[in-house]
Amino acid sequence: MLHFFDAGRISRLFRQGASQRHVLNLACVFSLLLPAFNAWSLDPHKSISQYVHSVWRSEEGLPQNSIQALLQTRDGYLWIGTQEGLVRFNGLEFKVFNKSNTDAIRHNDIRTLVQDREGSLWVGTFGGGLVRYKDGQFKTYTVRDGLSNNTINAILEDHNGHLWIGTNNGLSELASGRFVTFNRTTGLSDNMIQALAEDSQGRLLVATQSDLEVIENGHVVGPLYKSFSGKSVITALFRDRAGNLWIGTESRGLDELSSGKLTHFRSSRGLPDAPVRSIFQDGQKTLWIGMQGGGLCRLVEQTFQCYSTQSGLSGDNVEAITEDHEGSLWVGTETGGLNRFKDGVLTNYGSDLGLQGSPRTLGEDRDGSLWIGTSAGLWRLEGEKAIPYRTNKGPANNYVYSMIQDKNGDVWVGTDEGGLNRFTGHFVKTYKKSDGLAGNFIPAIYQDHDGDIWVGTFTGGVSRLHDGKFINYTTKDGLGSNRVWAIHEDYQHNLWFGTDAGLSLFRNGAFTSFNVAESAQDPPEISTVVVIYEDSEHTLWLGTYGGGLKRFKDGKFSTVGSRQGLFDDTVWSILEDDLGNFWLSSNRGIARVSKKQLLDVMDGRAQTVHSQKFGVADGMSSSECNGGSQYSGWKTREGKLLFACLKSVVVVDPANLPRNPLPPPVVIESA
């Protein structure tokens, strides 16, 4: 996102000078939401719904919600053409140029924008002529200066640096300060100019109301493609990086002209049966089409994928598309304002794959398939599709809270009041309190090295399934609390249980419980252990509900919380990447923190850690993650990290976090 940076600290330094009385106000255009990470162009392998999507409307400072033209100039500003003026956006503030504050703007309806090779911004208006902006100054050109008409539909700079202006009454060429007009009298089929492009041979292509014509060496030489003539009104022209010409129309859809061959795209290729309003190709050579009534469409392997208001787009009439220097895609709609799509650090598995409900638990089976338990059932990912296992062929209750795959390949599912469910092929067996289970609400399931299944319940303690029968353990047996959130077997085959009362150890048939609170004054809630992780050195790490991240080593607890720089005091899941970092999830998002920094604080060598937080701006569909379920986080065989969050499963690839290689451009706005 473009952002205005007010160098307040620099200003204060200037003010401290003995004789310095004037302060510079700097503008810095850079990625506000991802200062450290940002993808270079949108990843075409992701679905559109997986991009980070932001919207600006009149409530955020736009003068009006009809976005008709978009352009980022080389100084980093985004320029926006609306029906109520020309807008300059630095990422935080909109500055509006219109009739009331700019004499050169004689009509507020801005139709088209182009920056030439010398850096001038050219603005085409509806009835107000052609406006040039250079070095902070505006200048107007109208019919009095030789322009063919004051209503401008298209502007193009050709390979010679000449400016071509398509109007409602002909085509004007601006070269050496003079206008030359082309119209019916000079050979054009119509005076209404709809769109302009330059082909790979350097010829000017002119879309009139009735034809697509060619101007070469200052002369109209006839239609470009005879079989296309008169078929439909052309609304957009675009030449891609391969030299192919894309033609958008009112009623015919989209055509590609390549090596003299015309290919037609319409509903059979996934393109809506609607007029084409805009065409653009991004830095990954992905073609984007703006439709009137059909939203935003992307061409992938000769088939279109579309994104509409039903998916989250702010409007289905897409008038303008452009890409900024950091690879974000900006989309202007007729009534819904300005949209931005950018590739985030994180990826979501959610509703776009067919997944329903809020993810609670997940895991990778022996075949590499991902299983996800949500508030709406059990799901398995097959490619890019979520396959449901629900009540008729799934668990007894569709609210899945915990899940494991045992050594035989069977999947065990714990539900919210639906008991324990065992999947063996297509057969499902359910265990409830009536079968001897300690409770029907199952937050945790674990299989030990002997093959016994251990079940943590919400109110009944722990059940152990041994030789087909349940053995139950409660506080009467020494368990710290009857509410059990996590189960873990360490390298010495000791069993550990995270409960509302802290940590319990089961060894040699007996329980020993530990209170993890730092002092007697701490509220009992922060002693709740919701996740247990054992690292490669066999140290236990505990995530708590409000008590921070804890280490249990040599019989002692050490804590790092928000006072020491941790992102949050609630830790739902703990995952360790292959680069020496811990990844933690909470109600406030996901954070990465160096394990070395954690150890330095816990061992007294440092006082604080730096935890980098990731949220909606980084690609999460929601900044809230879920916890209190066994395996709300998972590390795959490939090293990717998965987190069960409110609206989706969030995927992090620590080894391939994208970075933005561009330094931010700096502009002095005032002195």
Side-chain angles (χ1 to χ4, degrees), residues 475-492:
T475 53
K476 295 179 181 179
D477 303 292
L479 185 65
S481 167
N482 287 336
R483 187 168 292 174
V484 179
W485 301 105
I487 307 172
H488 174 74
E489 184 178 33
D490 68 20
Y491 76 108
Q492 293 178 329

PDB file of all heavy atoms in Angstrom, residues 475-492:
ATOM      1  N   THR A 475      -9.550 -35.701  38.921  1.00  0.00           N
ATOM      2  CA  THR A 475      -8.801 -35.054  40.003  1.00  0.00           C
ATOM      3  C   THR A 475      -8.655 -35.981  41.216  1.00  0.00           C
ATOM      4  O   THR A 475      -7.709 -35.844  41.995  1.00  0.00           O
ATOM      5  CB  THR A 475      -9.503 -33.755  40.421  1.00  0.00           C
ATOM      6  OG1 THR A 475     -10.887 -34.036  40.712  1.00  0.00           O
ATOM      7  CG2 THR A 475      -9.424 -32.712  39.316  1.00  0.00           C
ATOM      8  N   LYS A 476      -9.574 -36.916  41.345  1.00  0.00           N
ATOM      9  CA  LYS A 476      -9.467 -37.862  42.459  1.00  0.00           C
ATOM     10  C   LYS A 476      -8.242 -38.761  42.324  1.00  0.00           C
ATOM     11  O   LYS A 476      -7.737 -39.293  43.323  1.00  0.00           O
ATOM     12  CB  LYS A 476     -10.730 -38.718  42.531  1.00  0.00           C
ATOM     13  CG  LYS A 476     -11.993 -37.932  42.874  1.00  0.00           C
ATOM     14  CD  LYS A 476     -13.210 -38.847  42.897  1.00  0.00           C
ATOM     15  CE  LYS A 476     -14.474 -38.053  43.221  1.00  0.00           C
ATOM     16  NZ  LYS A 476     -15.681 -38.927  43.236  1.00  0.00           N
ATOM     17  N   ASP A 477      -7.755 -38.884  41.067  1.00  0.00           N
ATOM     18  CA  ASP A 477      -6.568 -39.709  40.822  1.00  0.00           C
ATOM     19  C   ASP A 477      -5.296 -38.872  40.772  1.00  0.00           C
ATOM     20  O   ASP A 477      -4.219 -39.406  40.473  1.00  0.00           O
ATOM     21  CB  ASP A 477      -6.735 -40.469  39.513  1.00  0.00           C
ATOM     22  CG  ASP A 477      -7.994 -41.321  39.500  1.00  0.00           C
ATOM     23  OD1 ASP A 477      -8.040 -42.298  40.264  1.00  0.00           O
ATOM     24  OD2 ASP A 477      -8.932 -40.985  38.732  1.00  0.00           O
ATOM     25  N   GLY A 478      -5.437 -37.559  40.991  1.00  0.00           N
ATOM     26  CA  GLY A 478      -4.271 -36.684  40.976  1.00  0.00           C
ATOM     27  C   GLY A 478      -4.174 -35.779  39.763  1.00  0.00           C
ATOM     28  O   GLY A 478      -3.255 -34.947  39.682  1.00  0.00           O
ATOM     29  N   LEU A 479      -5.077 -35.924  38.788  1.00  0.00           N
ATOM     30  CA  LEU A 479      -5.105 -35.022  37.633  1.00  0.00           C
ATOM     31  C   LEU A 479      -5.372 -33.598  38.119  1.00  0.00           C
ATOM     32  O   LEU A 479      -6.189 -33.383  39.027  1.00  0.00           O
ATOM     33  CB  LEU A 479      -6.196 -35.472  36.661  1.00  0.00           C
ATOM     34  CG  LEU A 479      -6.305 -34.737  35.325  1.00  0.00           C
ATOM     35  CD1 LEU A 479      -5.061 -34.974  34.477  1.00  0.00           C
ATOM     36  CD2 LEU A 479      -7.560 -35.207  34.574  1.00  0.00           C
ATOM     37  N   GLY A 480      -4.675 -32.620  37.546  1.00  0.00           N
ATOM     38  CA  GLY A 480      -4.790 -31.248  38.031  1.00  0.00           C
ATOM     39  C   GLY A 480      -6.175 -30.664  37.905  1.00  0.00           C
ATOM     40  O   GLY A 480      -6.628 -29.895  38.757  1.00  0.00           O
ATOM     41  N   SER A 481      -6.876 -30.990  36.817  1.00  0.00           N
ATOM     42  CA  SER A 481      -8.233 -30.493  36.588  1.00  0.00           C
ATOM     43  C   SER A 481      -8.946 -31.486  35.684  1.00  0.00           C
ATOM     44  O   SER A 481      -8.301 -32.201  34.902  1.00  0.00           O
ATOM     45  CB  SER A 481      -8.204 -29.105  35.932  1.00  0.00           C
ATOM     46  OG  SER A 481      -9.478 -28.745  35.432  1.00  0.00           O
ATOM     47  N   ASN A 482     -10.251 -31.524  35.780  1.00  0.00           N
ATOM     48  CA  ASN A 482     -11.026 -32.420  34.921  1.00  0.00           C
ATOM     49  C   ASN A 482     -11.274 -31.835  33.533  1.00  0.00           C
ATOM     50  O   ASN A 482     -11.918 -32.475  32.705  1.00  0.00           O
ATOM     51  CB  ASN A 482     -12.362 -32.765  35.583  1.00  0.00           C
ATOM     52  CG  ASN A 482     -12.190 -33.726  36.749  1.00  0.00           C
ATOM     53  OD1 ASN A 482     -11.200 -34.462  36.806  1.00  0.00           O
ATOM     54  ND2 ASN A 482     -13.135 -33.718  37.672  1.00  0.00           N
ATOM     55  N   ARG A 483     -10.816 -30.628  33.300  1.00  0.00           N
ATOM     56  CA  ARG A 483     -10.921 -30.019  31.973  1.00  0.00           C
ATOM     57  C   ARG A 483      -9.556 -30.108  31.310  1.00  0.00           C
ATOM     58  O   ARG A 483      -8.608 -29.423  31.697  1.00  0.00           O
ATOM     59  CB  ARG A 483     -11.390 -28.570  32.086  1.00  0.00           C
ATOM     60  CG  ARG A 483     -11.678 -27.908  30.755  1.00  0.00           C
ATOM     61  CD  ARG A 483     -12.414 -26.603  30.957  1.00  0.00           C
ATOM     62  NE  ARG A 483     -13.776 -26.850  31.469  1.00  0.00           N
ATOM     63  CZ  ARG A 483     -14.615 -25.888  31.855  1.00  0.00           C
ATOM     64  NH1 ARG A 483     -14.228 -24.625  31.798  1.00  0.00           N
ATOM     65  NH2 ARG A 483     -15.818 -26.188  32.289  1.00  0.00           N
ATOM     66  N   VAL A 484      -9.458 -30.944  30.275  1.00  0.00           N
ATOM     67  CA  VAL A 484      -8.163 -31.269  29.664  1.00  0.00           C
ATOM     68  C   VAL A 484      -8.127 -30.753  28.228  1.00  0.00           C
ATOM     69  O   VAL A 484      -8.984 -31.090  27.411  1.00  0.00           O
ATOM     70  CB  VAL A 484      -7.920 -32.797  29.689  1.00  0.00           C
ATOM     71  CG1 VAL A 484      -6.599 -33.137  29.026  1.00  0.00           C
ATOM     72  CG2 VAL A 484      -7.949 -33.303  31.131  1.00  0.00           C
ATOM     73  N   TRP A 485      -7.095 -29.942  27.920  1.00  0.00           N
ATOM     74  CA  TRP A 485      -6.993 -29.296  26.606  1.00  0.00           C
ATOM     75  C   TRP A 485      -5.919 -29.914  25.707  1.00  0.00           C
ATOM     76  O   TRP A 485      -6.006 -29.786  24.483  1.00  0.00           O
ATOM     77  CB  TRP A 485      -6.664 -27.809  26.793  1.00  0.00           C
ATOM     78  CG  TRP A 485      -7.658 -27.062  27.597  1.00  0.00           C
ATOM     79  CD1 TRP A 485      -7.527 -26.646  28.891  1.00  0.00           C
ATOM     80  CD2 TRP A 485      -8.953 -26.655  27.185  1.00  0.00           C
ATOM     81  NE1 TRP A 485      -8.654 -25.990  29.313  1.00  0.00           N
ATOM     82  CE2 TRP A 485      -9.553 -25.981  28.277  1.00  0.00           C
ATOM     83  CE3 TRP A 485      -9.687 -26.786  26.008  1.00  0.00           C
ATOM     84  CZ2 TRP A 485     -10.832 -25.443  28.224  1.00  0.00           C
ATOM     85  CZ3 TRP A 485     -10.964 -26.248  25.948  1.00  0.00           C
ATOM     86  CH2 TRP A 485     -11.526 -25.580  27.038  1.00  0.00           C
ATOM     87  N   ALA A 486      -4.905 -30.503  26.280  1.00  0.00           N
ATOM     88  CA  ALA A 486      -3.776 -30.978  25.470  1.00  0.00           C
ATOM     89  C   ALA A 486      -3.165 -32.220  26.106  1.00  0.00           C
ATOM     90  O   ALA A 486      -3.140 -32.367  27.333  1.00  0.00           O
ATOM     91  CB  ALA A 486      -2.718 -29.887  25.344  1.00  0.00           C
ATOM     92  N   ILE A 487      -2.669 -33.126  25.239  1.00  0.00           N
ATOM     93  CA  ILE A 487      -2.013 -34.355  25.690  1.00  0.00           C
ATOM     94  C   ILE A 487      -0.732 -34.526  24.879  1.00  0.00           C
ATOM     95  O   ILE A 487      -0.736 -34.335  23.653  1.00  0.00           O
ATOM     96  CB  ILE A 487      -2.923 -35.580  25.493  1.00  0.00           C
ATOM     97  CG1 ILE A 487      -4.292 -35.358  26.149  1.00  0.00           C
ATOM     98  CG2 ILE A 487      -2.265 -36.837  26.061  1.00  0.00           C
ATOM     99  CD1 ILE A 487      -5.307 -36.444  25.819  1.00  0.00           C
ATOM    100  N   HIS A 488       0.346 -34.907  25.549  1.00  0.00           N
ATOM    101  CA  HIS A 488       1.625 -35.112  24.847  1.00  0.00           C
ATOM    102  C   HIS A 488       2.425 -36.211  25.546  1.00  0.00           C
ATOM    103  O   HIS A 488       2.479 -36.274  26.782  1.00  0.00           O
ATOM    104  CB  HIS A 488       2.440 -33.823  24.824  1.00  0.00           C
ATOM    105  CG  HIS A 488       3.806 -34.000  24.246  1.00  0.00           C
ATOM    106  ND1 HIS A 488       4.028 -34.158  22.898  1.00  0.00           N
ATOM    107  CD2 HIS A 488       5.034 -34.078  24.841  1.00  0.00           C
ATOM    108  CE1 HIS A 488       5.319 -34.302  22.675  1.00  0.00           C
ATOM    109  NE2 HIS A 488       5.957 -34.262  23.838  1.00  0.00           N
ATOM    110  N   GLU A 489       3.067 -37.060  24.757  1.00  0.00           N
ATOM    111  CA  GLU A 489       3.968 -38.083  25.283  1.00  0.00           C
ATOM    112  C   GLU A 489       5.395 -37.680  24.948  1.00  0.00           C
ATOM    113  O   GLU A 489       5.725 -37.428  23.775  1.00  0.00           O
ATOM    114  CB  GLU A 489       3.645 -39.449  24.669  1.00  0.00           C
ATOM    115  CG  GLU A 489       4.483 -40.576  25.248  1.00  0.00           C
ATOM    116  CD  GLU A 489       4.123 -41.932  24.664  1.00  0.00           C
ATOM    117  OE1 GLU A 489       3.740 -41.977  23.459  1.00  0.00           O
ATOM    118  OE2 GLU A 489       4.216 -42.938  25.375  1.00  0.00           O
ATOM    119  N   ASP A 490       6.261 -37.580  25.968  1.00  0.00           N
ATOM    120  CA  ASP A 490       7.621 -37.129  25.716  1.00  0.00           C
ATOM    121  C   ASP A 490       8.523 -38.290  25.278  1.00  0.00           C
ATOM    122  O   ASP A 490       8.070 -39.436  25.142  1.00  0.00           O
ATOM    123  CB  ASP A 490       8.191 -36.403  26.939  1.00  0.00           C
ATOM    124  CG  ASP A 490       8.417 -37.311  28.146  1.00  0.00           C
ATOM    125  OD1 ASP A 490       8.502 -38.547  27.969  1.00  0.00           O
ATOM    126  OD2 ASP A 490       8.516 -36.793  29.274  1.00  0.00           O
ATOM    127  N   TYR A 491       9.796 -37.981  25.085  1.00  0.00           N
ATOM    128  CA  TYR A 491      10.725 -38.969  24.516  1.00  0.00           C
ATOM    129  C   TYR A 491      10.984 -40.140  25.464  1.00  0.00           C
ATOM    130  O   TYR A 491      11.474 -41.191  25.056  1.00  0.00           O
ATOM    131  CB  TYR A 491      12.036 -38.278  24.134  1.00  0.00           C
ATOM    132  CG  TYR A 491      12.947 -37.937  25.289  1.00  0.00           C
ATOM    133  CD1 TYR A 491      14.123 -38.634  25.501  1.00  0.00           C
ATOM    134  CD2 TYR A 491      12.624 -36.903  26.172  1.00  0.00           C
ATOM    135  CE1 TYR A 491      14.971 -38.322  26.551  1.00  0.00           C
ATOM    136  CE2 TYR A 491      13.456 -36.583  27.221  1.00  0.00           C
ATOM    137  CZ  TYR A 491      14.628 -37.291  27.409  1.00  0.00           C
ATOM    138  OH  TYR A 491      15.462 -36.979  28.460  1.00  0.00           O
ATOM    139  N   GLN A 492      10.660 -39.961  26.747  1.00  0.00           N
ATOM    140  CA  GLN A 492      10.815 -41.041  27.720  1.00  0.00           C
ATOM    141  C   GLN A 492       9.489 -41.766  27.983  1.00  0.00           C
ATOM    142  O   GLN A 492       9.395 -42.555  28.917  1.00  0.00           O
ATOM    143  CB  GLN A 492      11.351 -40.472  29.042  1.00  0.00           C
ATOM    144  CG  GLN A 492      12.773 -39.935  28.929  1.00  0.00           C
ATOM    145  CD  GLN A 492      13.270 -39.339  30.230  1.00  0.00           C
ATOM    146  OE1 GLN A 492      12.492 -38.809  31.020  1.00  0.00           O
ATOM    147  NE2 GLN A 492      14.573 -39.435  30.453  1.00  0.00           N
TER     148      GLN A 492
END
